[in-house]
Amino acid sequence: MSETNGVAKPPKYPFALGFQKDVLALMTRDPGFLMEMSDALDAKYFDGDALTIVARLLIGHAKKYGQRPSKNSLLTRVMRHFEKYELDDDLQEEVLQLIHNLYRRELPSDLAFVREQVADFGRLAALKWALHDSVDLLAKHPADLVKQQQIVPLLTKALSVGTGQRIGIQLFDAPDEPSRFRGQEGDPQRKVPTPWPTLNYARRGGLGAGELGVILGEPARGKSMALVNIAAHAALVGRRVVYVSTELREYDVICRLLARMTKRELPEVEDEHPDFKSAAQALKGGDRYIRVAAIRRGAPVTVIRSLVSRIVANDGVDPEVLVIDYADELSPSRSDFHHGDSASEHGYYAYGDIYYELTNLATDYHCPIWTASQVNRLAYGAESFGMEAASDSIKKAQVADAILCLCQSDDEEKTNRMRIWVDKLRRGKSKFSIGLKVDFLRCMMRERGPTDAGTAKSESGQESTNGHAAKGE
């Protein structure tokens, strides 16, 4: 740390300008980065007046309001900054252009590396400041042991920079009002209902913020259709949905969603039949929202993170549920796996890391994520199976908060019936079956009615609990 006239000057980032803009883009758009790294970030570290101004406004907003600003909020703060400090026109234009570019900039795919570099630099800078202040204390108070005792917490705080801000919840602050803690971890009561009342009953309303639900099934069993039903139902009850597909074109997903929501057959949707168009008119207006986006197979989770951040910036809304079709087609954001020596061990941990990343994404955006996964070959053709049939890595089952297995016997297939075996609900009752009636032409998977309910055994011998009341569409 350099000094001028005895006054310590803050260090500057040794990173290239492009890397510094990556950091600013993450501060601007990634919901977790700014809050988690706030103690490691300082506007003075950035090069150039424009970057410094934007960084200062982002950090100031986060410290005051406990969250990153929206684009409109950031622009409002920028205009007030211009008025207060009377910046010249060229610098004002540079700042506005920088903000515009930050919201369009592709987020870095190596997010872990960026976090590590920012945290290490911030920690080292804080440690230098702490050492500088400690030397100053010793010089001013060479015989004052009470003053010198301040040195230890100074150094301890500096060493903790970049390791995360949250320190959890003190239970006895309000032991008689646990609801007071509800919002501290993304409000777990922000539930998104599914199309299946029995599941909503078991999960007390649906999957909650920060939770990951996985649909397990063999190829062509209906995993994508189940995800379409979840997305369509969420939109129909007024929840904002972002649907990301690695398998289907955006047009194909849209047609399936419209068939499900209008209850018209797919050929009618694709041909824009008058009966379909009449039904579709009823969907217009209101607050219904589904954004459908296709990405390439093998894309890392950071591509989805970047995509969602651009959608938020463009549409001005945060998603209330993310549907990803599907996780097995993604790749981990990091490629430096050293968990195992063999290729099979490498794949085992890689698939597990994908699901960890999805859970982090759900946590950052305070919404549930639904995705799907293949079963292994031993479960092909099986009338029933559980989470142990997850392909590639059982870590999927360990990470997921809800696991729904799409089961079907030969007789059920002939009569367009299917069962969801609820093998895991981390925060609710599990190990029960939900009977479905399937309409492939209308892309509908409807829970069978009370005539199929009660404690009767299904064809597989799994207990069915259909019939619980829940609010429908």
Side-chain angles (χ1 to χ4, degrees), residues 18 92 114 116 172 222 239 257 267 369 374 390 421 446 458 464 469:
Q92 289 186 29
V114 176
E116 183 180 89
F172 292 104
R239 302 306 178 90
L257 287 166
I369 289 180
Q374 299 277 11
W421 175 244
R446 180 178 57 83
S458 68
S464 177

Side-chain angles (χ1 to χ4, degrees), residues 150-303:
Q150 297 176 19
I151 293 174
V152 174
L154 275 174
L155 297 176
T156 301
K157 183 178 179 180
L159 289 170
S160 69
V161 165
T163 58
Q165 294 294 292
R166 243 187 136 260
I167 58 172
I169 294 170
Q170 209 293 76
L171 184 149
F172 292 104
D173 284 345
D176 58 333
E177 297 179 84
S179 60
R180 283 179 54 183
F181 305 125
R182 187 175 290 162
Q184 296 193 28
E185 294 182 292
D187 191 357
Q189 299 303 312
R190 187 180 173 182
K191 306 285 184 62
V192 177
T194 72
W196 308 300
T198 299
L199 181 60
N200 297 334
Y201 179 88
R203 187 54 195 91
R204 300 184 65 187
L207 215 57
E211 294 184 319
L212 176 64
V214 180
I215 309 289
L216 280 182
E218 61 182 272
R221 179 60 75 203
K223 297 186 298 296
S224 293
M225 190 190 300
L227 294 176
V228 163
N229 275 257
I230 289 170
H233 181 80
L236 287 172
V237 298
R239 302 306 178 90
R240 297 184 297 272
V241 182
V242 172
Y243 192 113
V244 181
S245 176
T246 63
E247 278 207 313
L248 300 173
R249 298 177 303 169
E250 291 167 359
Y251 170 76
D252 295 327
V253 176
I254 286 171
C255 287
R256 292 184 181 200
L257 287 166
L258 286 172
R260 166 63 176 79
M261 289 189 287
T262 62
K263 301 179 182 178
R264 309 304 304 183
E265 295 185 356
L266 263 176
E268 293 183 21
V269 176
E270 293 167 348
D271 297 338
E272 297 184 3
H273 189 279
D275 290 344
F276 156 70
K277 297 191 78 167
S278 176
Q281 285 293 323
L283 297 177
K284 289 187 175 181
D287 296 325
R288 296 191 181 105
Y289 177 96
I290 299 183
R291 173 70 71 173
V292 177
I295 61 173
R296 62 179 174 81
R297 291 185 177 184
V301 177
T302 49
V303 169

Side-chain angles (χ1 to χ4, degrees), residues 14 53 115 134 169 208 223 247 329 332 343 388 419:
I53 289 170
R115 288 178 184 270
S134 299
I169 294 170
K223 297 186 298 296
E247 278 207 313
E329 297 287 350
E388 73 284 349
R419 281 165 288 115

